Each structure stands twice: as structure tokens, then as C-alpha cells.
């Protein structure tokens, strides 16, 4: 069963949606991902995971759900230096998310879940969730296709000393599974800031975060090690992400605070 698409409905059909319907909005990015991956990587992952999860839930009949068109251009200023990165300021993206939520609140749909494929969106997305809840009474949820390591995520296989946050092992594997023709493994190189592991408190996923742009780690645009990536691992990661998001949608459909 294909994922039910919000944009395929008439406005009368939108008006007839049940209030427990969960609207899913993928958040991607168009940004450099090193020499071996396309600039569409985060958009590809977010939209693919979201669509498969929505289709799974719809087929099982476990929740009412619709898929909104994904946002390709988001907050990618950490990659501002690279040709191919197309990014919005935080003000523009915040206002865009608020406007989408305001518009959605004009329908019976009162639940909105972001499915995020780009770590740079996370902090702003959390703020947007609270704003949308406060202003329009929406129940809002922020989910990751996979939690970035610099935000507490843990990889099943870590060959990157905890630093695989961009264009690395897992992300490259995912694209090898989804769109192998877009991956240039002959250009994949390891770029891992191993010396940072010596800091006790400051670092990715540690108690003290720090501001950075991707060119701080070198000119290659990668933070991680894509050289051992595989489509088999990508399939495993993709299926796990779809299952997690599908379960999250079902939970969101009945979620109540308190």
C-alpha cells in the first residue's frame, strides 16, 4: 500500500480527516556530503524513511497518518562554505515551520511529527515544536531517521571513534542501499578528528557541546569514515529506521501528556 499523501487530497477530504491523524513532515537538507555522496543525501534519507514508515502504518491500519511533502532546504549553515549547499537562515526556517503548523491547525489534524534527516535542524526543530504547541495547540513530535552521534546517538558498528556525524560509515551505507548509482566510493576518504577523543567533557555526544562548521575538520567535507560502508549495512539501518518511525507514529496517534 502506498503512503497516503496529504497533497493528493481535496480540501473536503482534508476537512474530513480524523483528529488523531498524524501528519508527517520530513526535514532534509541540500548540502555538501564530501566527494562521494550527493548533496541530496539528507533529503533522500529523511523522505525515504518517512514514506516507507507512513506506508507501513497505513497498510497495517494501526494509525491514521498522512505524509506531507518534505522540506529540502533547511538549516545547513555549518556547510555554508561549500558549493552545492543551499541553506535557509534559522529565522527563515523557523518561520516556515511555524507557518506550516499554523496552516495545518486550520484542519482537523492536530498532530504533527517531523522526521529529521539532518542534525543541524535538531535544536531549531525542538524550539519549533514548542512554539507550534503553544501558539496553535498542536501536538508536536521531533523524530530522527537516526539520532546523530553528536546528539547522543550510538552506532551499531563504530569505526569512527564516535565522530561519524557527516558523510561517514552509516550515512554512506544508507545511500548505497537507497541510490547506489549516486555514490562514488572511489572518492571516499576517512576524515576523523581522533585527537578530540582526548577531551573528557567537550566533544560530540559529551556533556559540553561546541560550535563548529564542517570545514573546521579539513577541506574534504566529511566527518567520519565512509571507506568501509556497504549496501547491506545500509539496508539494515534503513529497515530499523522505518520500523522505529512507524512505531513512533502509532504512539503519537494516541499520545497524551499527563
Amino acid at each position: 500500500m502506498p503512503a497516503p499523501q496529504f497533497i493528493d487530497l481535496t480540501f473536503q477530504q482534508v476537512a474530513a480527516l480524523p483528529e488523531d491523524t498524524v501528519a508527517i513532515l520530513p526535514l532534509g537538507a541540500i548540502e555538501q556530503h564530501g566527494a562521494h555522496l550527493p548533496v541530496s543525501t539528507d533529503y533522500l534519507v529523511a523522505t525515504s524513511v518517512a514514506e516507507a514508515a507512513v506506508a507501513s502504518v497505513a497498510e497495517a491500519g494501526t494509525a491514521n497518518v498522512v505524509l506531507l511533502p518534505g522540506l529540502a532546504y533547511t538549516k545547513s549553515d555549518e556547510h555554508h562554505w561549500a558549493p552545492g549547499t543551499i541553506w535557509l537562515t534559522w529565522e527563515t526556517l523557523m518561520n516556515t515551520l511555524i507557518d506550516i503548523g499554523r496552516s495545518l491547525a486550520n484542519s482537523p489534524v492536530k498532530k504533527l511529527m517531523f522526521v529529521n534527516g539532518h542534525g543541524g535542524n535538531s535544536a531549531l526543530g525542538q524550539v519549533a515544536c514548542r512554539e507550534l504547541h503553544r501558539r496553535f495547540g498542536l501536538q508536536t513530535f521531533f523524530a530522527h531517521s537516526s539520532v546523530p552521534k553528536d546528539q547522543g546517538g550510538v552506532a551499531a558498528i563504530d569505526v569512527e571513534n564516535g565522530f561519524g556525524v557527516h558523510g561517514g560509515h552509516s550515512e554512506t551505507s544508507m545511500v548505497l542501499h537507497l541510490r547506489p548509482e549516486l555514490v562514488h566510493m572511489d572518492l571516499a576518504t576517512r576524515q576523523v578528528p581522533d585527537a578530540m577523543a582526548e577531551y573528557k567533557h567537550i566533544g560530540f555526544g559529551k556533556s559540553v557541546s561546541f560550535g563548529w562548521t564542517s570545514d573546521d575538520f579539513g577541506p574534504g567535507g566529511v566527518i567520519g569514515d565512509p571507506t568501509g560502508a556497504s549496501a547491506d549495512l545500509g539496508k539494515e539501518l534503513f529497515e530499523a529506521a522505518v520500523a522505529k518511525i512507524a512505531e513512533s507514529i502509532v504512539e503519537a496517534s494516541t499520545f497524551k501528556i499527563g
Side-chain angles (χ1 to χ4, degrees), residues 94 98 112 114 124-134 138-142:
M94 178 63 75
I98 295 301
L112 174 61
F114 300 106
L124 183 145
Q126 294 287 355
V127 175
C129 280
R130 179 163 292 172
E131 283 292 296
L132 291 168
H133 179 65
R134 180 180 64 83
L138 293 175
Q139 281 195 326
T140 49
F141 310 90
F142 196 85

Side-chain angles (χ1 to χ4, degrees), residues 33-57:
H33 268 77
H36 66 295
L37 289 180
V39 296
S40 63
T41 292
D42 290 343
Y43 180 73
L44 171 64
V45 171
T47 55
S48 299
V49 168
E51 183 168 5
V54 168
S56 174
V57 171

Side-chain angles (χ1 to χ4, degrees), residues 7-245:
I7 59 173
D8 290 341
L9 303 176
T10 67
F11 84 89
Q12 294 97 335
Q13 289 173 320
V14 171
L17 290 171
E19 286 195 3
D20 65 351
T21 299
V22 184
I24 305 299
L25 176 56
L27 298 178
I30 303 299
E31 61 186 34
Q32 72 80 21
H33 268 77
H36 66 295
L37 289 180
V39 296
S40 63
T41 292
D42 290 343
Y43 180 73
L44 171 64
V45 171
T47 55
S48 299
V49 168
E51 183 168 5
V54 168
S56 174
V57 171
E59 183 174 7
T62 47
N64 294 306
V65 61
V66 291
L67 182 65
L68 293 164
L71 285 182
Y73 311 120
T74 57
K75 187 180 176 294
S76 297
D77 51 327
E78 67 269 40
H79 308 291
H80 70 282
W81 56 272
T85 299
I86 301 177
W87 59 282
L88 306 180
T89 64
W90 70 266
E91 299 100 328
T92 300
L93 180 57
M94 178 63 75
N95 287 331
T96 298
L97 298 181
I98 295 301
D99 285 349
I100 291 172
R102 170 182 48 74
S103 302
L104 192 65
N106 195 39
S107 77
V109 178
K110 298 296 183 262
K111 294 175 182 285
L112 174 61
M113 177 179 289
F114 300 106
V115 175
N116 182 46
H118 169 51
N121 293 330
S122 299
L124 183 145
Q126 294 287 355
V127 175
C129 280
R130 179 163 292 172
E131 283 292 296
L132 291 168
H133 179 65
R134 180 180 64 83
R135 293 193 195 186
F136 311 118
L138 293 175
Q139 281 195 326
T140 49
F141 310 90
F142 196 85
H144 295 277
S145 55
S146 62
V147 180
K149 291 179 192 172
D150 57 333
Q151 297 171 34
V154 178
I157 302 173
D158 191 1
V159 296
E160 299 160 308
N161 204 13
F163 297 112
V165 301
H166 187 72
H169 188 70
S170 296
E171 200 164 40
T172 303
S173 295
M174 189 86 87
V175 183
L176 279 170
H177 167 62
L178 293 171
R179 294 288 304 276
E181 75 278 10
L182 299 180
V183 183
H184 309 279
M185 286 303 295
D186 57 315
L187 300 178
T189 58
R190 186 180 193 273
Q191 187 167 299
V192 177
D194 292 304
M196 285 176 55
E198 299 176 6
Y199 295 101
K200 179 179 180 180
H201 300 292
I202 303 173
F204 292 160
K206 296 182 179 180
S207 60
V208 180
S209 60
F210 63 101
W212 56 270
T213 59
S214 56
D215 55 338
D216 291 336
F217 302 94
V222 170
I223 311 172
D225 185 0
T227 58
S230 71
D232 287 342
L233 175 61
K235 182 175 185 290
E236 179 183 331
L237 294 172
F238 178 75
E239 291 176 349
V242 170
K244 180 192 71 174
I245 296 299

